[in-house]
Amino acid sequence: MFTLQPIATVKNDRLVVEDDQWGEVVSTIKFHPSINPVALEGISSFSHLEIIFCFHLVEDRHVQWEARHPRNNKEYPKVGIFAQRGKNRPNKLGVTTVKLLEHSSADELIVKGLDAINGTPIIDIKPVMKEFLPFENVTQPEWVSDLMGRYWK
């Protein structure tokens, strides 16, 4: 067992968990007072960041342990939680790559494309580095492309 402490909180206009249209969402990541602003030094030189956050509204009873149809769409195959990116995960962690728009102040970042609602706790932030991206072509099942077709639009 271990304990994680949030380092920041998401501030945006999205108040309800929704499945689509996250691409144009602009969010402020507001760091907790305990985070020294020096921790953000140099972050402005990166175009994109990986945001690790907690699906804080998921109740334990909703965690998915069985295979299911993503979004309950019977046209998609049943897959386990580790073969999808749904919120009802055992450790309730989400990861999204966002565009860094601005390091607006000592304790705030402005980002675009964060698929987390207002008030979401941020667990960690990492800069996106080309050398950590896959060298090979990324493959995925066709149902994923269909499901994600409206996610960012």
PDB file of all heavy atoms in Angstrom, residues 64-65 79-86 89-91:
ATOM      1  N   GLN A  64     -14.589  -1.630 -12.482  1.00  0.00           N
ATOM      2  CA  GLN A  64     -14.847  -2.744 -13.396  1.00  0.00           C
ATOM      3  C   GLN A  64     -13.799  -3.838 -13.217  1.00  0.00           C
ATOM      4  O   GLN A  64     -12.616  -3.586 -13.396  1.00  0.00           O
ATOM      5  CB  GLN A  64     -14.797  -2.253 -14.853  1.00  0.00           C
ATOM      6  CG  GLN A  64     -15.864  -1.270 -15.210  1.00  0.00           C
ATOM      7  CD  GLN A  64     -17.219  -1.926 -15.313  1.00  0.00           C
ATOM      8  OE1 GLN A  64     -17.383  -2.943 -15.956  1.00  0.00           O
ATOM      9  NE2 GLN A  64     -18.206  -1.327 -14.668  1.00  0.00           N
ATOM     10  N   TRP A  65     -14.255  -5.019 -12.872  1.00  0.00           N
ATOM     11  CA  TRP A  65     -13.361  -6.174 -12.754  1.00  0.00           C
ATOM     12  C   TRP A  65     -13.656  -7.205 -13.838  1.00  0.00           C
ATOM     13  O   TRP A  65     -12.827  -8.070 -14.094  1.00  0.00           O
ATOM     14  CB  TRP A  65     -13.497  -6.809 -11.372  1.00  0.00           C
ATOM     15  CG  TRP A  65     -13.071  -5.877 -10.281  1.00  0.00           C
ATOM     16  CD1 TRP A  65     -13.887  -5.128  -9.475  1.00  0.00           C
ATOM     17  CD2 TRP A  65     -11.740  -5.545  -9.900  1.00  0.00           C
ATOM     18  NE1 TRP A  65     -13.141  -4.367  -8.609  1.00  0.00           N
ATOM     19  CE2 TRP A  65     -11.811  -4.602  -8.843  1.00  0.00           C
ATOM     20  CE3 TRP A  65     -10.480  -5.938 -10.339  1.00  0.00           C
ATOM     21  CZ2 TRP A  65     -10.691  -4.069  -8.227  1.00  0.00           C
ATOM     22  CZ3 TRP A  65      -9.362  -5.408  -9.715  1.00  0.00           C
ATOM     23  CH2 TRP A  65      -9.473  -4.489  -8.674  1.00  0.00           C
ATOM     24  N   VAL A  79     -14.171  -6.323 -23.543  1.00  0.00           N
ATOM     25  CA  VAL A  79     -12.742  -6.260 -23.237  1.00  0.00           C
ATOM     26  C   VAL A  79     -12.582  -5.906 -21.759  1.00  0.00           C
ATOM     27  O   VAL A  79     -13.447  -5.281 -21.152  1.00  0.00           O
ATOM     28  CB  VAL A  79     -11.992  -5.231 -24.116  1.00  0.00           C
ATOM     29  CG1 VAL A  79     -12.007  -5.650 -25.580  1.00  0.00           C
ATOM     30  CG2 VAL A  79     -12.591  -3.837 -23.972  1.00  0.00           C
ATOM     31  N   GLY A  80     -11.466  -6.299 -21.203  1.00  0.00           N
ATOM     32  CA  GLY A  80     -11.162  -5.983 -19.812  1.00  0.00           C
ATOM     33  C   GLY A  80     -10.777  -4.521 -19.646  1.00  0.00           C
ATOM     34  O   GLY A  80     -10.459  -3.823 -20.616  1.00  0.00           O
ATOM     35  N   ILE A  81     -10.778  -4.054 -18.415  1.00  0.00           N
ATOM     36  CA  ILE A  81     -10.495  -2.649 -18.125  1.00  0.00           C
ATOM     37  C   ILE A  81      -9.102  -2.247 -18.584  1.00  0.00           C
ATOM     38  O   ILE A  81      -8.865  -1.096 -18.932  1.00  0.00           O
ATOM     39  CB  ILE A  81     -10.727  -2.324 -16.627  1.00  0.00           C
ATOM     40  CG1 ILE A  81     -10.796  -0.812 -16.395  1.00  0.00           C
ATOM     41  CG2 ILE A  81      -9.657  -2.965 -15.755  1.00  0.00           C
ATOM     42  CD1 ILE A  81     -11.965  -0.115 -17.026  1.00  0.00           C
ATOM     43  N   PHE A  82      -8.146  -3.186 -18.612  1.00  0.00           N
ATOM     44  CA  PHE A  82      -6.785  -2.851 -19.034  1.00  0.00           C
ATOM     45  C   PHE A  82      -6.633  -2.845 -20.556  1.00  0.00           C
ATOM     46  O   PHE A  82      -5.563  -2.520 -21.069  1.00  0.00           O
ATOM     47  CB  PHE A  82      -5.776  -3.785 -18.377  1.00  0.00           C
ATOM     48  CG  PHE A  82      -5.810  -3.699 -16.871  1.00  0.00           C
ATOM     49  CD1 PHE A  82      -6.041  -4.817 -16.108  1.00  0.00           C
ATOM     50  CD2 PHE A  82      -5.629  -2.481 -16.219  1.00  0.00           C
ATOM     51  CE1 PHE A  82      -6.085  -4.744 -14.723  1.00  0.00           C
ATOM     52  CE2 PHE A  82      -5.671  -2.386 -14.838  1.00  0.00           C
ATOM     53  CZ  PHE A  82      -5.900  -3.520 -14.090  1.00  0.00           C
ATOM     54  N   ALA A  83      -7.703  -3.169 -21.284  1.00  0.00           N
ATOM     55  CA  ALA A  83      -7.716  -3.090 -22.745  1.00  0.00           C
ATOM     56  C   ALA A  83      -8.597  -1.928 -23.201  1.00  0.00           C
ATOM     57  O   ALA A  83      -9.049  -1.890 -24.340  1.00  0.00           O
ATOM     58  CB  ALA A  83      -8.212  -4.405 -23.345  1.00  0.00           C
ATOM     59  N   GLN A  84      -8.848  -0.995 -22.301  1.00  0.00           N
ATOM     60  CA  GLN A  84      -9.600   0.215 -22.619  1.00  0.00           C
ATOM     61  C   GLN A  84      -9.149   1.314 -21.668  1.00  0.00           C
ATOM     62  O   GLN A  84      -8.359   1.076 -20.765  1.00  0.00           O
ATOM     63  CB  GLN A  84     -11.106  -0.041 -22.492  1.00  0.00           C
ATOM     64  CG  GLN A  84     -11.542  -0.557 -21.142  1.00  0.00           C
ATOM     65  CD  GLN A  84     -13.011  -0.881 -21.102  1.00  0.00           C
ATOM     66  OE1 GLN A  84     -13.838   0.015 -21.166  1.00  0.00           O
ATOM     67  NE2 GLN A  84     -13.332  -2.161 -21.009  1.00  0.00           N
ATOM     68  N   ARG A  85      -9.639   2.519 -21.885  1.00  0.00           N
ATOM     69  CA  ARG A  85      -9.202   3.647 -21.069  1.00  0.00           C
ATOM     70  C   ARG A  85     -10.328   4.221 -20.223  1.00  0.00           C
ATOM     71  O   ARG A  85     -10.297   5.383 -19.836  1.00  0.00           O
ATOM     72  CB  ARG A  85      -8.585   4.716 -21.974  1.00  0.00           C
ATOM     73  CG  ARG A  85      -7.288   4.216 -22.622  1.00  0.00           C
ATOM     74  CD  ARG A  85      -6.641   5.265 -23.460  1.00  0.00           C
ATOM     75  NE  ARG A  85      -6.193   6.402 -22.687  1.00  0.00           N
ATOM     76  CZ  ARG A  85      -4.924   6.742 -22.506  1.00  0.00           C
ATOM     77  NH1 ARG A  85      -3.972   6.004 -23.025  1.00  0.00           N
ATOM     78  NH2 ARG A  85      -4.611   7.813 -21.813  1.00  0.00           N
ATOM     79  N   GLY A  86     -11.329   3.415 -19.919  1.00  0.00           N
ATOM     80  CA  GLY A  86     -12.471   3.846 -19.128  1.00  0.00           C
ATOM     81  C   GLY A  86     -12.072   4.324 -17.731  1.00  0.00           C
ATOM     82  O   GLY A  86     -11.013   3.976 -17.205  1.00  0.00           O
ATOM     83  N   ARG A  89     -11.525   2.256 -13.288  1.00  0.00           N
ATOM     84  CA  ARG A  89     -10.319   1.458 -13.163  1.00  0.00           C
ATOM     85  C   ARG A  89     -10.032   1.133 -11.700  1.00  0.00           C
ATOM     86  O   ARG A  89     -10.403   1.889 -10.814  1.00  0.00           O
ATOM     87  CB  ARG A  89      -9.136   2.214 -13.747  1.00  0.00           C
ATOM     88  CG  ARG A  89      -9.454   2.901 -15.079  1.00  0.00           C
ATOM     89  CD  ARG A  89      -8.245   3.582 -15.654  1.00  0.00           C
ATOM     90  NE  ARG A  89      -7.287   2.596 -16.096  1.00  0.00           N
ATOM     91  CZ  ARG A  89      -7.470   1.810 -17.151  1.00  0.00           C
ATOM     92  NH1 ARG A  89      -8.565   1.905 -17.868  1.00  0.00           N
ATOM     93  NH2 ARG A  89      -6.567   0.926 -17.483  1.00  0.00           N
ATOM     94  N   PRO A  90      -9.318   0.040 -11.435  1.00  0.00           N
ATOM     95  CA  PRO A  90      -9.021  -0.320 -10.046  1.00  0.00           C
ATOM     96  C   PRO A  90      -8.332   0.785  -9.244  1.00  0.00           C
ATOM     97  O   PRO A  90      -8.693   1.020  -8.097  1.00  0.00           O
ATOM     98  CB  PRO A  90      -8.119  -1.545 -10.183  1.00  0.00           C
ATOM     99  CG  PRO A  90      -8.539  -2.163 -11.477  1.00  0.00           C
ATOM    100  CD  PRO A  90      -8.869  -1.000 -12.371  1.00  0.00           C
ATOM    101  N   ASN A  91      -7.374   1.482  -9.810  1.00  0.00           N
ATOM    102  CA  ASN A  91      -6.696   2.548  -9.071  1.00  0.00           C
ATOM    103  C   ASN A  91      -7.172   3.942  -9.463  1.00  0.00           C
ATOM    104  O   ASN A  91      -6.607   4.943  -9.005  1.00  0.00           O
ATOM    105  CB  ASN A  91      -5.175   2.438  -9.218  1.00  0.00           C
ATOM    106  CG  ASN A  91      -4.627   1.325  -8.363  1.00  0.00           C
ATOM    107  OD1 ASN A  91      -5.045   1.133  -7.234  1.00  0.00           O
ATOM    108  ND2 ASN A  91      -3.694   0.562  -8.914  1.00  0.00           N
TER     109      ASN A  91
END
